[in-house]
Amino acid sequence: FVSQDGQQVVFQSWRRNWIAEGGPYYQAKVKGNSWTNMKGLGQGITTFFKREFSKYGGYATDGMNVSSDFTTFIVAAGANYSGDMDLYWSKKDSTGKWSICKEMPISTPKNERSIFLAADNKTIYFASDGYGGFGGLDIFKALLDENGNAIEIFNIGAPFNTDKDDYGFV
């Protein structure tokens, strides 16, 4: 994820010391031609991934996004990359700490992937095979309330969705 002004990036790395460094998601800022101040997002995000990684002997993700105001983190994650995933989110509190990631109510018992949070911080696009559609994963749009509940959710239709897996909408 790159901030709208291009001055910050959030990225994933399962590097050797990711737990101690507050990973697996890191933030860095640009200074001239270099990335500086790299640090793990830490807190509840690291706690969530450490727990899930230990539980499954590994963990997988397929898409992450951060709100334009850097207060909401959303990720598609699951026990392994080839299995079903769900959408999880973390919110930053007034002291700047990230909450432990919670499964979003929009997740289904099937597969959700490839999350994108629009600049308004309440419109998301994601891939799912849990809401029906054209076949395989389809791209959906949803408007969320402050608790992550979908106010509206709909399939964005053709030509974006086909009878194959469709995802990666940004």
Side-chain angles (χ1 to χ4, degrees):
F1 169 82
V2 178
S3 63
Q4 290 179 342
D5 64 5
Q7 300 301 299
Q8 296 183 70
V9 64
V10 176
F11 64 97
Q12 176 191 30
S13 176
W14 296 100
R15 54 205 285 144
R16 185 179 333 154
N17 296 321
W18 70 269
I19 294 171
E21 294 176 346
Y25 285 92
Y26 298 84
Q27 181 177 358
K29 297 180 181 184
V30 71
K31 185 172 185 176
N33 292 327
S34 300
W35 291 101
T36 63
N37 300 327
M38 188 185 88
K39 62 180 182 175
L41 296 183
Q43 295 117 17
I45 295 172
T46 301
T47 299
F48 170 78
F49 280 99
K50 179 182 174 185
R51 181 188 69 208
E52 298 303 303
F53 194 91
S54 294
K55 183 166 133 183
Y56 295 108
Y59 207 57
T61 63
D62 188 18
M64 171 278 303
N65 213 279
V66 178
S67 63
S68 59
D69 62 1
F70 279 82
T71 61
T72 303
F73 169 93
I74 303 177
V75 64
N80 64 67
Y81 191 79
S82 59
D84 289 345
M85 294 190 178
D86 290 306
L87 300 178
Y88 296 87
W89 75 341
S90 174
K91 302 286 268 178
K92 203 181 262 187
D93 68 20
S94 60
T95 68
K97 289 189 175 184
W98 290 104
S99 65
I100 294 176
C101 296
K102 296 187 307 188
E103 186 175 342
M104 295 178 71
I106 201 166
S107 291
T108 70
K110 291 195 170 189
N111 198 8
E112 279 74 45
R113 294 179 178 254
S114 188
I115 186 73
F116 177 76
L117 178 62
D120 67 3
N121 297 335
K122 59 185 167 190
T123 303
I124 63 169
Y125 295 88
F126 64 99
S128 177
D129 62 4
Y131 289 97
F134 291 76
L137 294 166
D138 277 6
I139 300 168
F140 290 85
K141 176 182 178 181
L143 295 174
L144 302 177
D145 67 15
E146 63 278 353
N147 298 314
N149 297 305
I151 299 167
E152 292 181 69
I153 181 170
F154 60 92
N155 188 311
I156 66 169
F160 303 104
N161 290 318
T162 67
D163 62 348
K164 307 286 186 227
D165 284 341
D166 304 297
Y167 54 93
F169 198 75
V170 296

